[in-house]
Amino acid sequence: MSGRTTDKKQTKLDLAARFRQTRQRTLTLCKPLTPEDMMVQSCAEASPAKWHLAHTAWFFESFVLREFLPGYQLFNAEFPWLFNSYYRSFAAFPEKRLRASFSRPGLDDVLRFRAHVNEAVERMLGDDVSSEALARIELGVHHEEQHQELLLTDILNAFFANPLRPLYQAMEPTHALSTRTANPLHFVHFPGGLQEAGHAGAGFCFDNERPRHKVWLEPFALADRLVTNGEFAAFIADGGYRRPELWLNAGWDATQQNGWCAPLYWTEEDGAGAGGRWSLFTLRGAMPLERVAAVPVCHVSYFEADAYARWAGRRLATEYEWEAAAAGQTVAGNLLDAGRLMPAPASAGEPGRNQGLAQQWGDCWEWTSSAYLGYPGFQPLSGSLGEYNGKFMSGQMVLRGGSCVTPAAHIRASYRNFFPPETRWQSSGIRLAAL
Amino acid sequence: MSGRTTDKKQTKLDLAARFRQTRQRTLTLCKPLTPEDMMVQSCAEASPAKWHLAHTAWFFESFVLREFLPGYQLFNAEFPWLFNSYYRSFAAFPEKRLRASFSRPGLDDVLRFRAHVNEAVERMLGDDVSSEALARIELGVHHEEQHQELLLTDILNAFFANPLRPLYQAMEPTHALSTRTANPLHFVHFPGGLQEAGHAGAGFCFDNERPRHKVWLEPFALADRLVTNGEFAAFIADGGYRRPELWLNAGWDATQQNGWCAPLYWTEEDGAGAGGRWSLFTLRGAMPLERVAAVPVCHVSYFEADAYARWAGRRLATEYEWEAAAAGQTVAGNLLDAGRLMPAPASAGEPGRNQGLAQQWGDCWEWTSSAYLGYPGFQPLSGSLGEYNGKFMSGQMVLRGGSCVTPAAHIRASYRNFFPPETRWQSSGIRLAAL
Amino acid sequence: MSGRTTDKKQTKLDLAARFRQTRQRTLTLCKPLTPEDMMVQSCAEASPAKWHLAHTAWFFESFVLREFLPGYQLFNAEFPWLFNSYYRSFAAFPEKRLRASFSRPGLDDVLRFRAHVNEAVERMLGDDVSSEALARIELGVHHEEQHQELLLTDILNAFFANPLRPLYQAMEPTHALSTRTANPLHFVHFPGGLQEAGHAGAGFCFDNERPRHKVWLEPFALADRLVTNGEFAAFIADGGYRRPELWLNAGWDATQQNGWCAPLYWTEEDGAGAGGRWSLFTLRGAMPLERVAAVPVCHVSYFEADAYARWAGRRLATEYEWEAAAAGQTVAGNLLDAGRLMPAPASAGEPGRNQGLAQQWGDCWEWTSSAYLGYPGFQPLSGSLGEYNGKFMSGQMVLRGGSCVTPAAHIRASYRNFFPPETRWQSSGIRLAAL
Amino acid sequence: MSGRTTDKKQTKLDLAARFRQTRQRTLTLCKPLTPEDMMVQSCAEASPAKWHLAHTAWFFESFVLREFLPGYQLFNAEFPWLFNSYYRSFAAFPEKRLRASFSRPGLDDVLRFRAHVNEAVERMLGDDVSSEALARIELGVHHEEQHQELLLTDILNAFFANPLRPLYQAMEPTHALSTRTANPLHFVHFPGGLQEAGHAGAGFCFDNERPRHKVWLEPFALADRLVTNGEFAAFIADGGYRRPELWLNAGWDATQQNGWCAPLYWTEEDGAGAGGRWSLFTLRGAMPLERVAAVPVCHVSYFEADAYARWAGRRLATEYEWEAAAAGQTVAGNLLDAGRLMPAPASAGEPGRNQGLAQQWGDCWEWTSSAYLGYPGFQPLSGSLGEYNGKFMSGQMVLRGGSCVTPAAHIRASYRNFFPPETRWQSSGIRLAAL
């Protein structure tokens, strides 16, 4: 047996394990949820948890099994378009808001659909399978990881929309929040110069991380930790939401039209504007601001991140600066695998790890000042999968670094997340840059 | 024991029986539904079935138990505002659209809430109880009957929104649809004159049916049956939706803005405008137009009813004309108790019953040309219950006669239903008038 | 020469005089305006003054000259559709909002168009002309009178939209406002009974005032004058705009969505809600509330009129009650011909005139509690003119009595004005009713 | 007299001449307009021509005269906020849509305001004046040039909104359009490498063109001329507006929501979708497509430019690629000074001029694929003028090269124009890029 064959066999074994774990984890995340919880779609960006369960199975069925498993039988002839999200060249699809009406198929059916797909993928993995098929399965795993994060993001929104504010999971003692103030913020300097950015090497990446290309960077500095809730509260107290000179024009309009006066999920106990006590809602329940003052501020829009930076006399980093600082660093931090499900204060021991930057991975996605556009020479995947990332390259901003609900295996230095600048339902926070 | 006491005792026994049956029937209507089905809120007018279950219990708790049962313990301290619909003077209430996020309390909790309320009301009814309290219980029963109709109305919408178009209940053999054409339409003449309208006598009525008052009517005529699907299809085929001269100005605008080209729940098999075959969705599933051509057209707005009447060279009746024709007639017809759950063709034997008018009760609510306004001297109920009907006396039209999903015990000659003229999700149909 | 011929001749002479005066007055009303003023269209309900000038000529051209003057030459081949307002069966027409883009034709051209039309109508009137043609000319005169009122109504809105708040016309000394408080409000009682309503006799009326028909009225009472600015300010000061129990549901929603906290054209000098001094903008410029406290409140919606009445423990009259009180009374009061252009305090001498009711004619249109619907047996005019009134019989409320900008010759006891209940740009006020 | 003094004197003389010419040209552009034309504001992006006249005077008054001319008397105490566009830190300002209500001040007043400002600026220029003041006057001149372009852009929209489609100016014989087909498209190659971008040297530039900075470019190619109307018609005929795979997601949504099926100002003579003949509306009137087939397509959004490029198998250039190709080239072409007021076909003689690229200056602004963001180290001007460009750095795309209505003196290689991607009312066209 050649080494090459052995390698491929090992790759298959690794991928099979990754597939199983990922598929299983999606279910584990649903453990605290009732079938009724899994019906809720509480904002335009969100989908019901049950839909996430079904759509991630749909992805494997549509792009793996139907293309690469001869004789594969559809679980249900309606599902190919019912659970299509936005792939126009693949099939029609229901309006997004209708997902809230999918009481049928019931959760049991969806779980059977998942099992049907799992069994078929396992069958493929136990057999002779092309590299292209393996690559598609790997893509499906990464796709499912994205939806794991979305599922938790959407459940937080759903539970916040419910006036009873249900609890997803009680805080565990090991996650107890330190009540100390955050360390003073320091800036770590980077020399810049002619760099390379974009995915390098053989591992998995999305099409939007390619091609790797040269970019010139001026010297820059990044804050050694994220902005905290306490710091952001000072911005609010200083009239941050009432001073147009701090805001981009579109950001100011967003504050006025939406009545923003704090990050999403912050509520003022004694009524808006009354100078009351802030309470922050999380997957671990509601918490008074004082308790989480050292925790990174989360669920802010790009506009709020930008305004905060201007107020602080700083700026946001470009995605290239962020990537230059992250390149070569080991991925580790408060990611989904840590099980905390909310940002954590920068730990004393951590800052030394990555050129002095704490919280580079996990905690909060970091808004960058870069618009989400194709890299020079960008080529989307061929066929319907070309719609995965490329068609969204307009009107969105890049975020980097993953969050407390991002699977650790999912994130990397070249990973580009992207959302419109008014987005707040994501776990998005702020790292300041300077120079 | 005086006759008076005996009477009151019997009244209590009757009411207790009515209460039990009504409360039970609400649950029976939910039998075909899963907990997930009961989460769906598919249009702005609708509420989730679970919410109807909870809100009808809330009504008894809020307006009966808390006021009249000393020592009553709330089931849950949050429910008084959580399940308040629109009684501003009673408590705050969540935005209507948020009802779709009420995954908690779960269905089990809501059923426990209902049992808790039932037990307390039964306790009251087994004890010495004031006439006022009895009147409130009776009001609660009528309130729950309204929500029984709404629950079915909303589920039809929910199942239509679901691209899989689930079936609420299969058609039973005894309900088989006759495929014959409807009888030719005849008009029954009424002399008019100085009449009395509004509720008379001692039985229950809503505040908006009072006071009984004099009204002058010119001679008029009413069609002896409702307009059928087949007749409405002829209106469509004659360009009814494309001819502005047939429409009220606001109605024409509604067709243009909403893209109406047929009643709600009609779909054209081979694409809109393609001249394909119409299919009508009902609680009994989808049916081809030919099969239901003799069945009354349902789920049309006031604007469509008005345009149809103009096309037919006729008009709609006023609510006074309708009531004059119905006064003194026995309530009987295709109502909820008949269990058909969709309109039925006018039966051969029926027309003789009520001055020659078939389908006066049940089948479809009949749009009248009367705006929903207070009768001369109208007084809303006192307190929060004054918000029940009175505050909606603006911008709505009166409908009369009940529908195939209206409980028979709920409807009467003086009953005034009301909806905005663009409403189509109700079981609303058309009876022509002349002279 | 027969009496009949003489009569017709006199009728023609009278109509010719009326035509000339009306056409001339429209121009007179424009005297204080620049060509630029006549371009402004400052809200969805309004039209530019120049458009009113052109459209009123268009009406004569379209419905008189083209039909009844053989050989009539169009002034401009584009005008028949360019200046069509809403007669769908007559011609296409531009979207209403585009009227603000009609810089061409220029005012000079429009004035030439008017002269061209005048000359042709005069030619008709100087010649042998059918009764039908005369009736159409008369209709055109009444149409133009409506637009005279609209022109002033729209200019007030335009000048209020202009941050400089230009003055239409300075107050004349003879119109000096009395600063005294209004007389205490008294109610005048009417017996009701079986009445007749709708236009009687041979004079002109619109199709919606017909047919005259019987109606039963209970005894009722009407306030002897309109509600004043001072009284309405007390409603505001008592939290009228913040108490949902005073409002129809749709009215409360309107206050919340539009941020209403006072009638249109009231501004608070020191900022909204600051308890500052109210200033009222009129065609005579801005005036402090104290100066006009005894003047009728104007530019309130039906919702505000209804809420005020509820607050005052009264109600609004029905249109039938209003008409019964007005029947047989001479039209006289603060109408356009008085030249005041804003409401006036009820005068001491006036109450005796009309069964004790002051301000029945002019000052403010009086919102009634009647929905605008067709009378029993209503028949719209034939042809395109059938669109004049009939197609608007949905979602609007009836107003009665004319205003300070209504031509005296235009109003009568049976006259029905109508607007949607949220309308505030009209000169609409409040008369209370009781019983 | 030192050379320095002489230099400054000459600078002042040059600036005075430039000031006079610019101020005069704004008036010249208004020659074909009536005062009524100058009132029209026909879309959300546009302003009335009279407002442009006043606002450009306001700019000199606010940022030059009030700061640098001691004793300057305001022309009108209301104008500082009335004609403020969007400088929040300078003064309040009216909602943009209200500009259509500014019938007062009348055009005469605005012209007097301009004369008042001119006289004061001339006085300054005739006296001893600081370099900073001179820089501000220069900024005011460039500001006015921008509004010259906007004025013509807005008038084209205003005349298109008018159903009569008035003519701004008849085509002159010297501008006769060649009817030949455009030359075949060729691509000119550029080597890329480490370049510098942003304004270099001492001349005027806006803050957003700074600082000059290094950027790495891969080799690239640019089309030697703009895409023509004829070529774009082929895209339409090939179903370009009906094929979602050609569009960015936001672009596809824009086509669906706005019903786009051709560039702005294209109308289909025989009705939309009827395969009729296209007519293009310009400042020179309407022209059949065949007559202008070789003329560059204009008034397309970024989304349409992007979709066309994808259809053609090409892409749009980045702003850096465009600037690298333009650097060092003489500004010359079909700019405002040429007086054509619409794009012109690429001329035979022209391509040799600029590395083989025709139409690099003028004709149409060229959409680039670069988001409008601050350059590394970007610093807005201090004070209120910092709002000039910086606060718009969100959600917009960069356009380069000027158009047929851009003053020649206004454009340069580093000039960055910017508009949201759905913008079509600008003179925006398409140059393809490759590699």
Side-chain angles (χ1 to χ4, degrees), chain A residues 36-37 50 103-104 107, chain B residues 36-37 50 103-104 107 162:
Chain A
E36 291 156 279
D37 291 336
K50 185 169 70 175
S103 60
R104 319 281 177 96
L107 179 58
Chain B
E36 291 156 280
D37 291 335
K50 185 169 70 175
S103 60
R104 318 283 178 93
L107 179 59
N162 185 328

Side-chain angles (χ1 to χ4, degrees), chain C residues 77-253:
Chain C
E78 308 277 9
F79 284 15
W81 67 273
L82 188 67
F83 290 115
N84 182 11
S85 52
Y86 57 63
Y87 296 84
R88 289 200 176 90
S89 59
F90 177 78
F93 49 85
E95 260 189 277
K96 183 170 184 182
R97 62 175 185 82
L98 291 183
R99 295 174 190 170
S101 74
F102 294 3
S103 59
R104 319 282 177 95
L107 179 58
D108 287 351
D109 266 347
V110 167
L111 294 176
R112 271 191 292 273
F113 175 37
R114 288 181 66 87
H116 175 89
V117 164
N118 285 353
E119 184 275 334
V121 174
E122 294 276 9
R123 195 153 19 109
M124 274 181 70
L125 285 165
D127 210 339
D128 195 33
V129 58
S130 70
S131 300
E132 199 184 348
L134 288 179
R136 283 290 178 82
I137 295 171
E138 190 177 25
L139 179 63
V141 166
H142 287 269
H143 174 261
E144 182 137 356
E145 287 171 341
Q146 290 184 314
H147 282 276
Q148 288 171 353
E149 172 155 5
L150 287 169
L151 190 156
L152 289 170
T153 304
D154 295 353
I155 278 295
L156 174 58
N157 196 270
F159 281 3
F160 185 71
N162 186 328
L164 297 182
R165 303 272 157 91
L167 179 68
Y168 174 76
Q169 228 170 29
M171 188 66 104
E172 292 166 40
T174 55
H175 291 144
L177 294 160
S178 152
T179 55
R180 64 172 168 78
T181 319
N183 289 332
L185 200 71
H186 289 111
F187 282 85
V188 180
H189 287 245
F190 297 84
L194 195 60
Q195 313 263 335
E196 293 219 329
H199 190 69
F204 175 85
C205 78
F206 285 109
D207 54 5
N208 61 12
E209 300 169 53
R210 288 210 163 103
R212 187 158 170 89
H213 62 288
K214 290 198 184 64
V215 63
W216 177 266
L217 295 185
E218 299 296 321
F220 65 96
L222 297 182
D224 64 349
R225 60 164 174 77
L226 301 181
V227 171
T228 65
N229 286 318
E231 288 164 340
F232 202 86
F235 166 78
I236 298 175
D238 194 37
Y241 281 92
R242 296 189 306 271
R243 293 166 53 186
E245 71 273 18
L246 297 174
W247 296 76
L248 287 166
N249 199 55
W252 181 251
D253 289 349

Side-chain angles (χ1 to χ4, degrees), chain A residues 116-294:
Chain A
H116 175 89
V117 163
N118 284 353
E119 185 274 332
V121 173
E122 293 276 8
R123 191 148 27 102
M124 273 181 72
L125 286 166
D127 210 339
D128 197 32
V129 56
S130 69
S131 300
E132 199 183 348
L134 288 179
R136 283 289 178 84
I137 295 172
E138 189 176 25
L139 179 62
V141 166
H142 286 269
H143 175 262
E144 183 137 355
E145 287 170 341
Q146 289 183 314
H147 282 275
Q148 288 171 352
E149 173 155 5
L150 287 169
L151 191 156
L152 290 170
T153 304
D154 294 353
I155 278 294
L156 174 58
N157 195 271
F159 281 5
F160 185 72
N162 186 327
L164 298 182
R165 302 272 158 92
L167 180 68
Y168 174 76
Q169 232 171 27
M171 187 66 103
E172 291 166 42
T174 54
H175 291 146
L177 295 161
S178 154
T179 54
R180 64 173 169 77
T181 319
N183 289 331
L185 200 71
H186 290 112
F187 282 85
V188 179
H189 287 246
F190 296 84
L194 195 60
Q195 312 263 335
E196 293 219 329
H199 189 70
F204 174 85
C205 77
F206 285 109
D207 55 4
N208 62 12
E209 300 169 53
R210 289 213 162 101
R212 188 160 171 87
H213 62 288
K214 288 198 184 65
V215 62
W216 176 267
L217 296 184
E218 299 296 319
F220 65 97
L222 297 181
D224 64 349
R225 59 165 175 76
L226 301 181
V227 171
T228 65
N229 286 317
E231 287 164 340
F232 201 85
F235 166 77
I236 298 175
D238 193 38
Y241 281 92
R242 297 189 305 273
R243 293 165 53 186
E245 71 271 19
L246 297 174
W247 297 75
L248 286 166
N249 199 55
W252 181 251
D253 289 349
T255 65
Q256 300 302 293
Q257 283 159 21
N258 302 305
W260 289 347
C261 57
L264 185 59
Y265 306 136
W266 288 39
T267 47
E268 211 163 2
E269 295 286 296
D270 307 315
R277 293 175 62 250
W278 290 109
S279 168
L280 282 66
F281 188 67
T282 74
L283 287 171
R284 301 297 191 172
M287 301 181 185
L289 173 60
E290 306 87 85
R291 193 167 159 221
V292 289

Side-chain angles (χ1 to χ4, degrees), chain D residues 41-48 51-52 96 99 150 153-154 157 260 264 419-420 422-426:
Chain D
Q41 182 181 33
S42 51
C43 67
E45 293 102 332
S47 296
W51 185 88
H52 288 298
K96 183 171 183 181
R99 295 173 190 170
L150 287 169
T153 304
D154 294 354
N157 196 271
W260 289 347
L264 185 58
F419 286 102
E422 66 275 15
T423 306
R424 313 209 309 169
W425 113 113
Q426 277 291 314

Side-chain angles (χ1 to χ4, degrees), chain B residues 11-47:
Chain B
T11 300
K12 264 176 48 179
L13 287 173
D14 291 351
L15 183 57
R18 182 98 196 277
F19 173 77
R20 263 167 237 138
Q21 289 157 7
T22 304
R23 296 288 284 170
Q24 179 54 46
R25 180 158 61 184
T26 308
L27 297 183
T28 304
L29 296 177
C30 292
K31 278 260 171 68
L33 305 178
T34 66
E36 291 156 280
D37 291 335
M38 298 175 73
M39 284 291 297
V40 180
Q41 182 180 31
S42 50
C43 66
E45 295 101 334
S47 296

Side-chain angles (χ1 to χ4, degrees), chain B residues 108-310:
Chain B
D108 287 351
D109 265 348
V110 166
L111 294 176
R112 272 192 292 275
F113 176 36
R114 288 181 66 87
H116 174 88
V117 163
N118 285 353
E119 184 275 332
V121 173
E122 294 276 9
R123 193 149 24 102
M124 275 182 70
L125 284 166
D127 210 339
D128 196 32
V129 58
S130 70
S131 300
E132 199 184 348
L134 287 180
R136 283 291 178 83
I137 294 172
E138 190 177 24
L139 179 63
V141 166
H142 286 269
H143 175 261
E144 182 137 355
E145 286 171 342
Q146 291 183 313
H147 281 275
Q148 289 171 354
E149 173 155 2
L150 287 169
L151 189 155
L152 289 170
T153 304
D154 294 353
I155 279 294
L156 175 58
N157 196 270
F159 281 4
F160 185 72
N162 185 328
L164 297 182
R165 303 272 157 90
L167 180 68
Y168 175 74
Q169 231 171 27
M171 187 66 103
E172 291 166 42
T174 55
H175 290 146
L177 294 161
S178 153
T179 54
R180 64 174 169 75
T181 318
N183 289 331
L185 200 73
H186 290 111
F187 282 85
V188 180
H189 286 246
F190 297 84
L194 195 59
Q195 312 263 335
E196 293 220 328
H199 190 70
F204 174 85
C205 77
F206 286 109
D207 54 4
N208 61 12
E209 301 169 54
R210 287 212 163 102
R212 188 158 170 90
H213 61 289
K214 287 198 186 64
V215 64
W216 176 267
L217 296 184
E218 299 296 320
F220 64 96
L222 297 182
D224 64 349
R225 60 164 175 76
L226 301 180
V227 171
T228 65
N229 286 318
E231 288 164 341
F232 201 86
F235 166 77
I236 298 175
D238 194 38
Y241 281 92
R242 297 189 305 271
R243 293 165 52 185
E245 71 273 18
L246 297 173
W247 296 77
L248 287 166
N249 199 54
W252 181 251
D253 288 350
T255 64
Q256 300 301 295
Q257 282 159 22
N258 301 306
W260 290 346
C261 57
L264 186 57
Y265 305 138
W266 288 37
T267 47
E268 211 164 3
E269 294 287 295
D270 307 315
R277 294 174 64 250
W278 289 109
S279 169
L280 281 66
F281 188 67
T282 75
L283 288 170
R284 300 299 190 168
M287 300 180 187
L289 172 60
E290 304 89 81
R291 194 168 160 220
V292 290
V295 168
V297 66
C298 197
H299 301 293
V300 291
S301 65
Y302 172 75
F303 293 130
E304 286 157 305
D306 170 83
Y308 180 87
R310 195 168 288 110

